[in-house]
């Protein structure tokens, strides 16, 4: 919008606020006439959309959130807005009038999620309607201006064939991954932030037998498997008084009482790892989830750290891990092109030390080059 139209929108906003009415097209037309401005239907609708976005939506970010391939919208103060659309971060032409406008947007979004964001509580992590994750930080903690991070849930479910076309999977990986799911091996999809873990896990769960009952336990409902029998449990943050929160660990326990064929934890990141390992050791085959890790080899130490922090000894963790989990599917992101790729499929097994390690079964290089690792034959035997 031009500077003149911004001034006009602000004037109309003030009139509507004083009148206490919603920014509908009819009310905007009345306010415009009161401003002694003559506009056609197109201009009136444009002002109405701008006001709706600014008063009850995401303001200037609305067009970015509507783009089908965008997964992240990142605001670094009023002059920098970045998006990730699957090909790495790129800066957009979107700007805010000043830092106050960014702050008002962040506070409105936080309030919509029932959270507080002000000088006394200068940061917030919340979940918005539709599964969008919000994180915001106010100055002076964010010295360059108010920062807002929005993570959007997947818009559609990718099949493994679609992931091959997108370059995420090498063609050789499809048959191996299909065998892992059909053999009901327990597995983790791992990788860094934004590597496509949830997208791949949704595609893999779509391969599960239609007669199976999938129990999905998530912080935010992001998994979208194409499957006829899916039950979702979603965590709930505490309210402003600190009461009413329901965490993932409690939800995993509830899922085990709901006759699951597969228990799926959207993201393993805390004490729920104990209950998940226990579940996979008590007849619940085919369980899976995602985990943040820098490499497949880092997965056993990462799970060890989480479980030990929750009260298990190191020996107990590895005993549970050896019996509970079978496979790690690791994703990376290209530094040059930003593309997400499956880089390794590893088998978890005990080392001579007694501790679990990730042994490569298949490794995928740039260009889809595939090479078999020392655990390949054992993986084929387990999935035969």
């Amino acid at each position: 919008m031009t500077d003149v139209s911004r001034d006009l929108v602000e004037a109309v906003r003030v009139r509507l606020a004083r009148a206490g009415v919603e920014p509908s097209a009819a009310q905007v037309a009345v306010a415009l006439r009161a401003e002694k401005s003559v506009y056609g239907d197109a201009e009136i609708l444009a002002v109405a959309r701008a006001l709706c976005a600014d008063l009850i939506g995401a303001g200037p970010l609305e067009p970015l959130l509507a783009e089908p391939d965008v997964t992240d919208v990142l605001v670094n103060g009023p002059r920098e807005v970045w998006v990730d659309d699957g090909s790495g971060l790129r800066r957009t032409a979107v700007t805010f009038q000043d830092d106050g406008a960014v702050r008002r947007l962040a506070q409105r979004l936080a309030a919509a999620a029932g959270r507080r964001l002000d000088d006394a509580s200068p940061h917030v992590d919340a979940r918005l309607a539709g599964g969008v994750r919000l994180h915001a930080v106010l100055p002076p903690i964010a010295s360059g201006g108010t920062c807002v991070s929005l993570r959007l849930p997947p818009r559609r479910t990718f099949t493994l064939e679609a992931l091959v076309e997108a370059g995420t999977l090498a063609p050789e990986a499809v048959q191996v991954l299909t065998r892992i799911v059909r053999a009901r091996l327990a597995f983790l999809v791992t990788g860094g932030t934004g590597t496509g873990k949830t997208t791949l896990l949704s595609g893999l769960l779509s391969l599960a037998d239609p007669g199976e009952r999938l129990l999905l336990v998530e912080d935010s409902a992001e998994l979208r498997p194409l499957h006829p029998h899916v039950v979702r449990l979603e965590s709930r943050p505490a309210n402003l008084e600190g009461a009413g929160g329901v965490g993932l660990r409690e939800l995993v326990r509830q899922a085990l009482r709901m006759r699951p064929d597969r228990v799926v934890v959207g993201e393993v990141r805390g004490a729920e790892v104990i209950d998940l390992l226990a579940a996979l050791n008590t007849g619940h085959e085919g369980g899976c989830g995602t985990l943040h890790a820098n490499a497949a080899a880092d997965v056993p130490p990462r799970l060890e750290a989480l479980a030990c922090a929750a009260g298990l000894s190191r020996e107990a963790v590895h005993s549970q891990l050896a019996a509970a989990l079978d496979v790690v599917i690791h994703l990376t992101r290209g530094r040059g092109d930003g593309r997400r790729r499956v880089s390794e499929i590893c088998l978890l097994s005990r080392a001579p030390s007694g501790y679990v390690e990730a042994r490569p079964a298949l490794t995928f290089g740039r260009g889809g080059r595939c090479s078999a690792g020392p655990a390949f034959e054992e993986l084929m035997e387990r999935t035969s």
Side-chain angles (χ1 to χ4, degrees):
M1 301 180 81
T2 66
D3 291 338
V4 174
S5 63
R6 279 184 175 176
D7 292 340
L8 180 61
V9 169
E10 184 63 27
V12 171
R13 185 226 304 274
V14 171
R15 282 191 176 274
L16 294 178
R18 288 174 178 170
V21 295
E22 293 292 325
S24 65
Q27 293 296 342
V28 168
V30 171
L32 284 172
R33 282 195 294 270
E35 289 293 320
K36 296 182 174 55
S37 300
V38 179
Y39 286 93
D41 291 344
E43 288 83 0
I44 289 173
L45 288 174
V47 174
R49 282 195 296 268
L51 283 167
C52 286
D54 197 43
L55 293 174
I56 59 177
L61 304 182
E62 286 281 356
L64 302 178
L65 296 174
E67 291 183 17
D69 295 327
V70 167
T71 59
D72 295 86
V73 177
L74 310 171
V75 181
N76 306 336
R79 300 300 171 206
E80 285 189 36
V81 178
W82 299 73
V83 297
D84 186 344
D85 55 6
S87 299
L89 289 171
R90 63 175 174 86
R91 188 170 179 174
T92 71
V94 175
T95 60
F96 288 79
Q97 194 165 7
D98 52 33
D99 193 64
V102 186
R103 181 186 179 107
R104 288 193 297 273
L105 170 63
Q107 289 178 319
R108 184 171 70 251
L109 294 176
R115 306 299 294 275
R116 174 182 173 184
L117 182 64
D118 52 31
D119 290 339
S121 182
H123 53 82
V124 68
D125 189 8
R127 185 171 63 251
L128 305 176
V132 177
R133 292 185 187 177
L134 163 71
H135 186 271
V137 187
L138 300 180
I141 294 176
S143 58
T146 302
C147 292
V148 179
S149 303
L150 297 172
R151 165 66 62 87
L152 281 71
R155 316 294 178 87
R156 65 189 179 101
T157 299
F158 285 83
T159 62
L160 297 194
E161 290 72 21
L163 291 175
V164 170
E165 293 179 8
T168 299
L169 282 180
E172 296 86 350
V174 174
Q175 183 181 4
V176 175
L177 293 176
T178 301
R179 292 175 61 149
I180 288 171
V181 176
R182 299 274 166 81
R184 295 180 57 80
L185 298 187
F187 63 90
L188 287 177
V189 178
T190 65
T193 300
T195 51
K197 298 185 294 296
T198 300
T199 299
L200 178 58
L201 182 55
S202 292
L204 293 174
L205 289 173
S206 300
L207 301 175
D209 190 302
E212 294 178 351
R213 175 176 166 91
L214 310 185
L215 261 293
L216 310 186
V217 177
E218 300 178 84
D219 263 334
S220 179
E222 296 181 343
L223 290 169
R224 298 283 191 273
L226 299 174
H227 193 276
H229 197 163
V230 175
V231 180
R232 302 178 184 276
L233 299 181
E234 194 172 351
S235 69
R236 183 178 68 186
N239 59 21
L240 293 175
E241 287 75 34
V246 181
L248 288 182
R249 186 168 190 182
E250 178 60 33
L251 292 183
V252 171
R253 293 174 181 172
Q254 297 305 316
L256 297 178
R257 299 184 177 98
M258 298 172 68
R259 200 265 178 217
D261 288 303
R262 292 181 191 256
V263 177
V264 182
V265 178
E267 183 179 339
V268 181
R269 61 180 181 182
E272 66 275 1
V273 67
I274 293 180
D275 299 282
L276 179 62
L277 292 176
L280 299 179
N281 274 313
T282 53
H284 294 88
E285 297 178 337
C288 52
T290 71
L291 177 78
H292 278 80
N294 293 326
D298 296 335
V299 171
R302 175 93 170 106
L303 292 171
E304 176 187 312
L306 293 175
C308 287
L312 284 185
S313 67
R314 186 184 186 193
E315 290 73 18
V317 173
H318 284 268
S319 293
Q320 292 261 34
L321 184 55
L325 282 168
D326 301 294
V327 176
V328 171
I329 304 161
H330 189 71
L331 287 148
T332 56
R333 192 158 193 172
R335 293 183 179 179
D337 56 12
R339 288 193 175 277
R340 306 169 173 102
R341 299 182 180 88
V342 171
S343 61
E344 285 183 284
I345 300 176
C346 295
L347 199 63
L348 293 175
S349 56
R350 280 189 186 270
S353 64
Y355 297 118
V356 173
E357 63 179 11
R359 298 168 54 225
L362 282 174
T363 303
F364 305 94
R366 285 188 173 275
R369 296 189 307 274
C370 176
S371 57
F376 179 74
E377 292 300 329
E378 185 179 349
L379 177 60
M380 290 299 97
E381 290 176 8
R382 290 202 197 181
T383 57
S384 60

